[in-house]
Tab-separated table of all heavy atoms in Angstrom:
chain	number	residue	atom	x	y	z
A	55	ILE	N	53.609	69.191	-5.469
A	55	ILE	CA	54.570	68.590	-6.442
A	55	ILE	C	54.006	67.280	-6.829
A	55	ILE	O	53.701	66.377	-6.037
A	55	ILE	CB	55.970	68.430	-5.777
A	55	ILE	CG1	56.568	69.779	-5.446
A	55	ILE	CG2	56.927	67.732	-6.750
A	55	ILE	CD1	57.869	69.708	-4.567
A	56	ILE	N	53.898	67.094	-8.234
A	56	ILE	CA	53.327	65.842	-8.724
A	56	ILE	C	54.350	65.077	-9.505
A	56	ILE	O	54.154	63.862	-9.777
A	56	ILE	CB	52.029	66.067	-9.594
A	56	ILE	CG1	52.392	67.017	-10.749
A	56	ILE	CG2	50.928	66.654	-8.740
A	56	ILE	CD1	51.190	67.208	-11.685
A	57	SER	N	55.493	65.681	-9.909
A	57	SER	CA	56.376	64.906	-10.726
A	57	SER	C	57.825	65.600	-10.434
A	57	SER	O	57.956	66.766	-10.350
A	57	SER	CB	56.069	65.075	-12.221
A	57	SER	OG	57.083	64.286	-13.054
A	346	LYS	N	60.061	60.043	-11.366
A	346	LYS	CA	58.800	60.735	-11.043
A	346	LYS	C	58.264	60.222	-9.661
A	346	LYS	O	58.516	59.135	-9.237
A	346	LYS	CB	57.737	60.435	-12.090
A	346	LYS	CG	58.111	61.095	-13.460
A	346	LYS	CD	56.923	60.936	-14.378
A	346	LYS	CE	57.209	61.657	-15.776
A	346	LYS	NZ	56.103	61.486	-16.667
A	347	THR	N	57.546	61.048	-9.093
A	347	THR	CA	56.767	60.654	-7.922
A	347	THR	C	55.520	59.902	-8.317
A	347	THR	O	55.017	60.090	-9.359
A	347	THR	CB	56.277	61.924	-7.020
A	347	THR	OG1	55.500	62.608	-7.865
A	347	THR	CG2	57.547	62.677	-6.556
A	348	ASN	N	55.201	58.978	-7.486
A	348	ASN	CA	53.884	58.256	-7.757
A	348	ASN	C	52.847	58.783	-6.862
A	348	ASN	O	52.802	58.648	-5.591
A	348	ASN	CB	54.152	56.706	-7.419
A	348	ASN	CG	52.888	55.868	-7.730
A	348	ASN	OD1	51.835	56.402	-8.003
A	348	ASN	ND2	53.074	54.578	-7.755
A	349	SER	N	51.834	59.508	-7.458
A	349	SER	CA	50.849	60.186	-6.678
A	349	SER	C	49.508	59.418	-6.584
A	349	SER	O	48.544	59.863	-6.005
A	349	SER	CB	50.580	61.572	-7.293
A	349	SER	OG	50.103	61.480	-8.553
A	350	ASP	N	49.479	58.246	-7.129
A	350	ASP	CA	48.267	57.463	-7.124
A	350	ASP	C	48.282	56.521	-5.910
A	350	ASP	O	48.939	55.534	-5.852
A	350	ASP	CB	48.167	56.629	-8.376
A	350	ASP	CG	48.017	57.437	-9.639
A	350	ASP	OD1	47.382	58.521	-9.590
A	350	ASP	OD2	48.560	56.971	-10.639
A	351	SER	N	47.486	56.972	-4.885
A	351	SER	CA	47.447	56.192	-3.644
A	351	SER	C	46.281	55.241	-3.442
A	351	SER	O	46.098	54.712	-2.432
A	351	SER	CB	47.596	57.114	-2.448
A	351	SER	OG	46.461	58.045	-2.493
A	352	ASP	N	45.472	55.125	-4.458
A	352	ASP	CA	44.233	54.336	-4.291
A	352	ASP	C	44.582	52.857	-4.080
A	352	ASP	O	43.802	52.101	-3.513
A	352	ASP	CB	43.374	54.518	-5.610
A	352	ASP	CG	42.840	55.831	-5.758
A	352	ASP	OD1	42.835	56.564	-4.725
A	352	ASP	OD2	42.502	56.236	-6.898
A	379	LYS	N	53.892	53.900	-2.234
A	379	LYS	CA	54.378	54.619	-3.444
A	379	LYS	C	55.807	54.196	-3.635
A	379	LYS	O	56.613	53.895	-2.793
A	379	LYS	CB	54.280	56.127	-3.181
A	379	LYS	CG	52.879	56.638	-2.917
A	379	LYS	CD	52.783	58.149	-2.699
A	379	LYS	CE	51.360	58.573	-2.498
A	379	LYS	NZ	51.259	60.052	-2.324
A	380	LEU	N	56.212	54.321	-4.891
A	380	LEU	CA	57.529	53.895	-5.300
A	380	LEU	C	58.115	54.853	-6.284
A	380	LEU	O	57.474	55.272	-7.254
A	380	LEU	CB	57.443	52.510	-5.911
A	380	LEU	CG	58.795	51.917	-6.510
A	380	LEU	CD1	59.748	51.544	-5.375
A	380	LEU	CD2	58.522	50.735	-7.390
A	439	VAL	N	54.329	62.266	2.301
A	439	VAL	CA	53.248	61.984	1.390
A	439	VAL	C	53.678	61.561	0.007
A	439	VAL	O	52.860	61.132	-0.833
A	439	VAL	CB	52.251	63.105	1.348
A	439	VAL	CG1	51.608	63.373	2.683
A	439	VAL	CG2	52.877	64.361	0.804
A	440	GLY	N	54.983	61.748	-0.312
A	440	GLY	CA	55.486	61.439	-1.639
A	440	GLY	C	57.001	61.241	-1.664
A	440	GLY	O	57.708	61.718	-0.760
A	441	VAL	N	57.496	60.465	-2.644
A	441	VAL	CA	58.910	60.256	-2.798
A	441	VAL	C	59.334	60.434	-4.243
A	441	VAL	O	58.526	60.347	-5.150
A	441	VAL	CB	59.319	58.826	-2.269
A	441	VAL	CG1	59.163	58.729	-0.770
A	441	VAL	CG2	58.400	57.773	-2.969
Side-chain angles (χ1 to χ4, degrees):
I55 298 169
I56 57 174
S57 178
K346 292 186 176 180
T347 61
N348 183 350
S349 59
D350 297 325
S351 58
D352 294 338
K379 299 181 181 181
L380 176 70
V439 296
V441 290

